[in-house]
Amino acid sequence: MLIVMCITLLQVQAQRIVYSNTSIDLDGELNESIWETLIPEKDFKNYIPNNGSLAPNTTVVKMFHNGEKLYISAVYTDVNPTVQIGSLKRDHIGVSGAESDSFAIIIDTYKQQQSGFFFIVNMGGALIDALVARNRDGFRVNTSWNTIWNAKTSTKGNQKIYEIEIPLKALGYKVDSPEWGVMFHTRNIKLNEWTTNTAIDRNYQLFDLRFAKTFQVENLSENKTSRFAVTPAVTMNYAKDVTNNTDDTTLKPSVDVQFNVSSSLKLDATINPDFSQIDVDQQVTNLSRFSVFFPERRNFFLENSDLFTGLGVRGVNPFYSRRIGANSEISFGLKLSGNISKKTRLGVLNVATKSEDNSPSQNYGALVIQQQLSNAFTATGFLINRQETDGFSFLNDYNRVAGVNINYQSKNNKWTGLANIAGSATNNISGDNKFYNLGIWYNNINASGHLGVRKIGTNYITDVGFTPRLYNFDALTGTTIREGYTQASSRISLTKFYKNSTTFDRHRYFNMSNQSYWDDLGTITQATTVLNNDLVFKNQSSVYGGLRYEYVQLKYAFDPLNNGNPILPNLYQYLDFGMGYDSADNKQFQYGGDISYGSYYNGHKNRIRINTQYRLTPLARLQIRYERNGIDLNELGKATFHLARFTGEIFFSNRLNWTTYIQYNTQFDNFNINSRLQWEYKPLSYIYLVISDNYNQDITRKNWGIAFKMNYRFDF
């Protein structure tokens, strides 16, 4: 009995983040005596391969804090001393993280399973910091968020050693909530192995906060140190318009401020911001009738961004921050976000834009309150406002959206539900302005599924949102018609995992989905049915294929060839087939691609996609992606669209890199070169030199420019 009590006591002690009035010399050596006194977190489980079994390569993690900083050590015992690194670039989660020997920490400081902080360091010292946020039935990661933290690594024989320092001020938390959800991941890219400190079934994402282990934080107190961070910047920009033979040189100062109102509530401010250093969007070939979603990359909008971006569903979201500043520059922005109590989160945002050309000045506001009602239910209420301004006066040109969302998650993590109701108000427009949604998801190790229905009124207008299907462009008249619709969606997926096989990892042998749409008269306008499957081998290479059937009652003329001969309204039914292969991602040379062929409206379409990558580890990474779409619409004409993207990265160190993107897109008559030299000369203080050069598809220069930006972060 005494032995059982001692074992139980040790288990309780092992799940604590202890307090010690101690600092360490961050060098990756673990020489300090404090490390010897801490109870380790160990017995990691396999995520890939052999999901759920005890990992043969051990990881031992220890943690403590001193009231100002959280310290974490991890020792991974490898099968050999070789280190493999895919990239040294900061925040490149797919390569610096997933394609490198690395270690990751995920922290849910409120243990609400809504959002958390994600930190990764690879054996080359490249840092990745990100936010994890709930996204319908799962979670998503945004790496555009940044904070100051540090890590050092070393090797000792077969041991990979990580030593990590995270300031507590980087983590929003409540003093009266000393229970944190914590997850650790170890990545061995050579073996294509992922191990975790908590068992996570393969049908869930590695960063699913529902699987975080509870840790008690000792002596957690309000963090009083360094509550201000001020980052002034200056940008010098030269732009040359070759087509019109004009040029322009500007000097633009800006400043960002962050104030920790409390350890759980942050105030962000930006004045005259410049985002010239942001990576260019990856271009796509769009053969649909609707707009394409691009992610937000601007840091100001990212802290607690899930509060604002998770207010709707995919394709119907009342808040899409990329609308802000799309037509004119931002003059200033304020955002207050975080937890105001253990179970209550608040988000308040206000941004003003300048008047430019035909775009009047606007004020954008958002208020979001999220309340955890129980362990299973969370409610979110919101109000979004866009209003034209004249100086400090508000004009009678506005759009407002208000609504309530209810999220449900079962105790066993298998069931997830989402209900939405919202309405909009726009000057001079009334009626039919509601949005309703109800969705439910089921997920276990071998089967998953989804059922959902939503209705969008014709006048559910979201000027600061993303509702592309509400707007239908008629290629005959050149007008856009706003039209409401009802959508039903369903999916069922069956997967078999081969735990004891030396060849196969998993086989998704049945995956069927359907998306159907009806107009307000009850006429079905489109139904898309997809049937596919994939087979993943033990080395994580994969082969896949599937069928897609489209039923389209086209109501408005559509010109995918952009040649003035649109497809006319009529009933169209078409079918295509595709298959592809992706090689293992732990090789120096990676490759993959797919092909598809089938009918398309009144003609045919074929597509070829190729993706290759070569790593000169860890000095450089070269990637080429190519997509070719051939469309033949018989008497309406035919066209071939080429989309190519070259990415070249050179790493001088984990603080200094040079990245070049070259994109060629014949659908949008664009050939673009963007080259950026980035030096992080001090944590989160950067110097950027960016060159952008734009041509048409015939390689005739349209414009080019060069920008130099420097910022410096002060912590007070």
Side-chain angles (χ1 to χ4, degrees), residues 32 47 130 143 169 177 186 270 322 344 364 369 410-411 499 557 566 687 713:
E32 293 79 9
Y47 180 76
T143 59
K169 67 178 182 179
S177 302
T186 306
T270 184
R322 285 187 61 132
T344 306
Y364 300 88
I369 300 177
S410 66
K411 187 175 181 180
K499 203 168 191 177
I687 289 177
R713 180 180 170 112

Side-chain angles (χ1 to χ4, degrees), residues 384-644:
I384 312 296
N385 182 68
R386 190 277 310 158
Q387 192 149 2
E388 185 178 338
T389 58
D390 182 8
F392 292 100
S393 300
F394 288 89
L395 305 183
N396 195 35
D397 181 323
Y398 63 86
N399 170 249
R400 296 169 188 138
V401 186
V404 176
N405 308 329
I406 302 292
N407 287 85
Y408 168 78
Q409 57 186 50
S410 66
K411 187 175 181 180
N412 62 7
N413 296 327
K414 292 183 178 180
W415 293 95
T416 305
L418 174 63
N420 308 73
I421 181 170
S424 69
T426 307
N427 59 293
N428 301 323
I429 297 176
S430 62
D432 199 15
N433 61 343
K434 298 296 191 296
F435 163 61
Y436 307 95
N437 173 75
L438 182 64
I440 187 168
W441 292 263
Y442 176 78
N443 192 5
N444 73 15
I445 188 67
N446 296 120
S448 64
H450 166 66
L451 288 173
V453 62
R454 66 185 64 161
K455 179 174 175 56
I456 297 92
T458 296
N459 294 328
Y460 180 67
I461 301 170
T462 60
D463 286 353
V464 201
F466 186 76
T467 55
R469 199 174 186 94
L470 197 61
Y471 299 90
N472 301 266
F473 180 75
D474 190 331
L476 279 179
T477 63
T479 59
T480 297
I481 299 93
R482 192 172 62 248
E483 183 175 274
Y485 62 91
T486 300
Q487 175 186 353
S489 58
S490 62
R491 178 183 60 83
I492 183 170
S493 182
L494 303 175
T495 305
K496 179 176 177 59
F497 291 88
Y498 299 91
K499 203 168 191 177
N500 299 316
S501 173
T502 59
T503 304
F504 302 114
D505 178 67
R506 67 185 184 275
H507 181 205
R508 187 171 60 175
Y509 56 92
F510 183 81
N511 185 60
M512 186 174 184
S513 64
N514 176 267
Q515 300 278 348
S516 297
Y517 301 86
W518 292 264
D519 64 18
D520 286 338
L521 298 177
T523 301
I524 187 167
T525 57
Q526 184 172 354
T528 303
T529 302
V530 177
L531 178 65
N532 56 22
N533 63 72
D534 56 58
L535 178 63
V536 180
F537 299 95
K538 215 66 174 181
N539 67 354
Q540 299 305 297
S541 63
S542 62
V543 60
Y544 50 90
L547 293 165
R548 175 187 293 267
Y549 168 73
E550 292 277 6
Y551 173 99
V552 180
Q553 183 69 56
L554 190 65
K555 298 180 66 174
Y556 306 102
F558 173 44
D559 188 4
L561 303 183
N562 198 27
N563 63 357
N565 297 319
I567 302 170
L568 298 179
N570 206 338
L571 173 63
Y572 300 92
Q573 300 180 67
Y574 49 96
L575 178 74
D576 68 14
F577 167 79
M579 60 184 302
Y581 173 79
D582 289 322
S583 69
D585 59 6
N586 62 348
K587 305 300 182 184
Q588 190 173 25
F589 177 67
Q590 296 171 240
Y591 58 93
D594 59 73
I595 58 173
S596 65
Y597 179 80
S599 52
Y600 180 73
Y601 289 96
N602 61 333
H604 292 84
K605 177 172 72 72
N606 61 78
R607 184 188 67 194
I608 299 173
R609 291 195 298 189
I610 299 171
N611 181 25
T612 64
Q613 176 176 268
Y614 185 76
R615 290 193 294 252
L616 300 169
T617 308
L619 301 176
R621 185 179 74 95
L622 307 174
Q623 183 183 58
I624 296 176
R625 293 182 177 180
Y626 172 72
E627 178 179 341
R628 176 193 181 276
N629 283 274
I631 301 176
D632 186 349
L633 297 179
N634 299 314
E635 69 276 3
L636 298 181
K638 59 183 178 179
T640 301
F641 297 127
H642 300 275
L643 175 63

Side-chain angles (χ1 to χ4, degrees), residues 6-17 39 214 216:
C6 291
I7 292 174
T8 302
L9 180 61
L10 285 173
Q11 287 175 337
V12 172
Q13 289 178 335
Q15 295 182 353
R16 299 184 72 84
I17 302 176
I39 296 176
T214 301
Q216 292 283 340

